[in-house]
Amino acid sequence: MEPLQTAARPRYLAEADPSAIVRPRYLKTPDAATHLGLSPRTLEKHRCYGTGPVYRRLGGRIVYAIDDLDAWAARGTRKSTSDPGVGIVLPAQRRFKQD
């Protein structure tokens, strides 16, 4: 019999002793996407269109601060469908200027 699979966990938490976990300040795109519950490709699209969370380029790598990811996701917080909320999380699609 195969062992039960655990829920998907970010790579930085995989097979770590819970008492010895040192959480990183920055996540690469795949881990940032997992943190947000998005696909890496969706997060890449958000970056290209300027609709996503703040990111940093360190050398040739793109990284996201965990606080920035959480702040971006919090902008979409609503209590009901009629709640206007405090901000908008735009879809990952190109925005055209209106003349």
Side-chain angles (χ1 to χ4, degrees):
M1 188 171 5
E2 293 184 27
L4 295 174
Q5 291 186 355
T6 58
R9 294 174 57 178
R11 290 185 305 197
Y12 67 91
L13 295 177
E15 300 181 21
D17 177 17
S19 64
I21 292 176
V22 176
R23 298 194 189 278
R25 287 181 58 190
Y26 300 104
L27 300 177
K28 294 179 190 173
T29 301
D31 294 328
T34 300
H35 181 79
L36 292 170
L38 302 173
S39 75
R41 182 69 182 123
T42 299
L43 197 53
E44 290 169 2
K45 287 180 180 180
H46 275 294
R47 190 169 63 240
C48 290
Y49 300 142
T51 58
V54 174
Y55 67 93
R56 290 158 176 81
R57 182 179 294 276
L58 303 178
R61 297 179 189 248
I62 300 294
V63 294
Y64 296 87
I66 294 173
D67 292 339
D68 292 337
L69 295 171
D70 293 339
W72 179 75
R75 289 189 347 205
T77 302
R78 305 288 190 271
K79 291 182 180 179
S80 70
T81 56
S82 61
D83 182 2
V86 295
I88 297 173
V89 175
L90 297 170
Q93 61 188 15
R94 185 170 284 127
R95 297 283 170 194
F96 296 102
K97 290 184 178 181
Q98 301 261 340
D99 290 333

